């Protein structure tokens, strides 16, 4: 699916419709020292098996693409969850 690079949409900070730049959200690297990761590692350690059931197979073939809208006037960024699709192309 093709998405335009710029789109006019509502900015909550400017409180009006402005031109927004669209980029695709990319997840950052997980921190191994985060509290949740440390707790999960502790629960998995030793005997007793896995805390949560390990996913045998994935049910879905696609993921929802998250779009980042950046206001050209105030540089405020909004994230909107997109739709399920295999490939998202941001066209000029």
């Amino acid at each position: 699916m093709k998405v335009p690079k710029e789109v006019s949409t509502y900015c909550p900070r400017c409180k009006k419709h402005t031109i927004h730049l669209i980029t695709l959200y990319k997840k950052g690297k997980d921190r191994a020292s985060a509290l949740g990761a440390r707790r999960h590692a502790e629960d998995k350690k030793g005997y007793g098996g896995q805390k949560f059931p390990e996913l045998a197979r994935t049910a879905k073939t696609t993921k929802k693409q998250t779009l980042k809208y950046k206001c050209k006037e105030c540089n405020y960024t909004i994230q909107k969850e997109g739709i399920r699709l295999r490939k998202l192309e941001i066209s000029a």
Side-chain angles (χ1 to χ4, degrees), residues 27-40:
K27 186 177 176 280
K29 198 175 179 183
D30 281 338
R31 294 178 298 136
S33 61
L35 184 61
R38 294 199 313 260
R39 279 197 186 133
H40 190 63

Side-chain angles (χ1 to χ4, degrees), residues 2 16 23 30 35 43 50-51 53 56-57 74-75 86:
K2 288 186 178 177
K16 61 181 180 180
T23 52
D30 281 338
L35 184 61
D43 285 331
Q50 180 80 1
K51 184 182 175 190
R57 63 177 191 266
C74 64
N75 291 330
R86 291 184 191 275

Side-chain angles (χ1 to χ4, degrees), residues 2-51:
K2 288 186 178 177
V3 174
K5 197 185 285 184
E6 291 181 347
V7 71
S8 178
T9 189
Y10 182 76
C11 176
R13 190 183 276 179
C14 297
K15 292 189 170 73
K16 61 181 180 180
H17 275 70
T18 55
I19 302 289
H20 283 68
L21 290 167
I22 298 178
T23 52
L24 195 62
Y25 167 79
K26 290 229 193 295
K27 186 177 176 280
K29 198 175 179 183
D30 281 338
R31 294 178 298 136
S33 61
L35 184 61
R38 294 199 313 260
R39 279 197 186 133
H40 190 63
E42 185 67 31
D43 285 331
K44 281 171 69 175
K45 199 166 78 176
Y47 296 108
Q50 180 80 1
K51 184 182 175 190

Side-chain angles (χ1 to χ4, degrees), residues 3 22-25 65-69 77-83 88 90:
V3 174
I22 298 178
T23 52
L24 195 62
Y25 167 79
Q65 301 282 359
T66 305
L67 298 173
K68 286 193 333 188
Y69 290 77
T77 307
I78 316 157
Q79 285 189 2
K80 290 184 182 176
E81 197 171 78
I83 54 173
L88 185 97
I90 297 169

